[in-house]
Amino acid sequence: MAITNEKAFIAGNWKMHKNIDEAVELVSSLKQAEEELSEAVVVVIPPFTALRQIKKILEGSSLKLGAQNLFWEEKGAFTGEISPPMLKDAGCEYAVIGHSERRQYFGDTDKTVNKKIKAALAQALVPIVCIGESLEERESEQTINKVETQLRAGLEGLGEEDMSQVIIAYEPIWAIGTGLTATPAQAEEVHSFIRDKLEENYGNEIGSCVIILYGGSVKPDNTYSLLKEKNINGALVGGASLEADSFLQIAKQGIKAYKEKT
Ligand code: PEP
């Protein structure tokens, strides 16, 4: 079944934070509030070590589970890596692929991102594919070029059916963890470019339904204005997803913005 952007999609990327006890505490608080979140799709993306424990807590809950990365092989001598079947086994439905921190520190490239997307899809894991420009690229007006290249190379070889199972996250690198946020207009300019490209390459029906998230210092007080934009379907939240209160507020602001624009 195709994934659609009918509801606000709010995902919390915990990065390398939270031991198992802390993760359990956070997700338990979110679960207590889940009724208020029913009009959004809410995903928690903890470190690998907490996945199994969190899955147990989320049994029967509408909250979803995702992973922060994966390797493209199913199994083998790849010390330190985690495969898509392992993530499925741990209860994940989503996997972040090509986060800028992975591109910057761990050698992820558009080519490896492409392999990871295909490996995720082969196991029915929904890839959340991160793209975005550096400050230098923005200042030299290379934003659209950069995003276009990442889209083209990252999604190479994917058909319409595949694309109906992929989520894109536009995350300007200069806005990640810096407290700087793209203005709604800056973000929407890129989101609408991405939407146009997807419609051009995969047809209107598929392209118009793809979830395109914004990420980069999303906070409770900027979520509403960002998600009010036509092509911003949700948020990939880092720092502000580490506290239940701020993450819940973000989800509620997302729901409010979505209701008003649809
Ligand atoms: C992220 O981790 O993808 C992110 C956008 O982080 P932050 O919200 O902290 O900028």
Side-chain angles (χ1 to χ4, degrees), residues 3-8 195 207-212 233 258 262:
I3 294 172
T4 69
N5 50 32
E6 281 161 8
K7 287 182 171 186
R195 178 81 63 212
S208 63
C209 289
V210 173
I211 296 171
I212 309 176
N233 305 120
Y258 232 74
T262 50

Side-chain angles (χ1 to χ4, degrees), residues 11-15 96 99-101 130 169-173 175-180 214-219 235-242 250:
N13 170 19
W14 299 0
K15 311 195 188 196
V96 174
H99 190 282
S100 62
E101 287 151 16
C130 301
Y170 168 58
E171 300 208 302
I173 298 168
I176 298 180
T178 58
L180 297 172
Y214 170 78
S217 299
V218 172
K219 303 275 182 281
L236 181 53
V237 186
S241 70
L242 295 174
I250 286 171

Side-chain angles (χ1 to χ4, degrees), residues 185-213:
Q186 280 175 322
E188 174 62 16
E189 185 188 4
V190 181
H191 280 236
S192 78
F193 170 79
I194 295 169
R195 178 81 63 212
D196 288 349
K197 276 282 143 202
L198 296 176
E199 289 181 353
E200 196 178 302
N201 295 337
Y202 303 95
N204 271 6
E205 202 178 322
I206 304 283
S208 63
C209 289
V210 173
I211 296 171
I212 309 176
L213 305 177

Side-chain angles (χ1 to χ4, degrees), residues 66-83:
Q68 297 178 18
N69 181 36
L70 52 75
F71 187 57
W72 54 82
E73 295 288 348
E74 285 191 16
K75 58 182 166 183
F78 302 104
T79 303
E81 294 298 327
I82 307 279
S83 74

